[in-house]
């Protein structure tokens, strides 16, 4: 079990050190900022939607290792999903982190998202892990001046 926890920690650290899709996106069709006043984490999420599907997603911001890693993992999970599926992905993450029963976590099927399950042990960090995901969800309601492709 310690080996699995070490693997998950390594996944978080790798995403923090070398985040995927950390960049401002121009043009983009939607954007929203997430801010966690309790710790100061701040992230802006950019979405490029085409025909109701997330064609591209990126983020910029400052935050802790969990916040940055979660944003990086999010960008790898949301490409190619529909608006409805994006909201379902956010709900799945929220459930993974907050459900009462210990979730079944499988790295093979969940990918790097499984590494975030360890955040359950630190309830004060759940907001860090969900910040970018909620910003992505809010971005759906915040079209940018640049038109959807």
């Amino acid at each position: 079990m310690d080996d699995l926890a070490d693997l998950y920690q390594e996944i978080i650290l790798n995403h923090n050190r070398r985040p995927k899709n950390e960049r401002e996106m121009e043009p983009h069709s939607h954007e929203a900022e997430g801010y966690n006043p309790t710790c100061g984490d701040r992230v802006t999420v950019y979405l490029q939607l085409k025909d109701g599907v997330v064609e591209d997603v990126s983020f910029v911001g400052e935050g802790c290792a969990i916040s940055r890693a979660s944003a990086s993992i999010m960008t790898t999970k949301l490409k190619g999903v529909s608006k409805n599926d994006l909201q379902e992905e956010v709900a799945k993450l929220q459930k993974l982190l907050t459900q009462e029963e210990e979730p079944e976590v499988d790295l093979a099927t969940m990918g790097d998202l499984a590494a975030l399950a360890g955040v359950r042990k630190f309830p004060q960090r759940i907001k860090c892990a969900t910040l970018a995901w909620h910003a992505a969800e809010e971005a759906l309601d915040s079209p940018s001046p640049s038109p959807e492709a």
Side-chain angles (χ1 to χ4, degrees):
M1 192 66 166
D2 287 338
D3 289 341
L4 192 55
D6 290 346
L7 173 61
Y8 289 162
Q9 184 174 11
E10 189 60 33
I11 290 170
I12 296 288
L13 293 175
N14 280 336
H15 274 280
N16 178 49
R17 279 185 236 130
R18 290 178 289 281
K20 311 276 190 241
N21 304 301
E22 183 181 31
R23 59 182 160 75
E24 288 187 33
M25 183 192 311
E26 287 297 336
H28 57 275
S29 60
H30 298 72
E31 91 176 65
E33 181 181 90
Y35 176 62
N36 183 351
T38 59
C39 65
D41 290 354
R42 185 179 301 269
V43 64
T44 300
V45 174
Y46 302 94
L47 300 173
Q48 180 64 41
L49 272 65
K50 183 175 183 180
D51 300 326
V53 174
V54 177
E55 189 173 68
D56 198 6
V57 54
S58 68
F59 78 98
V60 294
E62 297 293 327
C64 66
I66 290 172
S67 175
R68 292 175 49 79
S70 183
S72 174
I73 292 168
M74 177 196 74
T75 66
T76 65
K77 299 292 281 183
L78 295 185
K79 284 184 183 176
V81 304
S82 70
K83 288 180 179 180
N84 289 340
D85 288 344
L86 186 154
Q87 292 169 326
E88 286 182 24
E89 291 295 326
V90 174
K92 283 182 197 174
L93 175 66
Q94 189 73 33
K95 182 178 177 184
L96 174 73
L97 297 176
T98 61
Q99 71 184 19
E100 285 189 30
E101 306 96 38
E102 189 70 29
E104 290 192 30
V105 178
D106 181 10
L107 189 59
T109 58
M110 297 175 68
D112 289 354
L113 186 64
L116 294 176
V119 175
R120 294 173 49 84
K121 297 176 184 169
F122 310 98
Q124 70 278 13
R125 306 304 297 272
I126 290 174
K127 286 184 178 178
C128 301
T130 59
L131 181 65
W133 296 74
H134 287 303
E137 192 173 38
E138 288 179 28
L140 293 177
D141 296 328
S142 305
S144 73
S146 61
E148 183 174 335

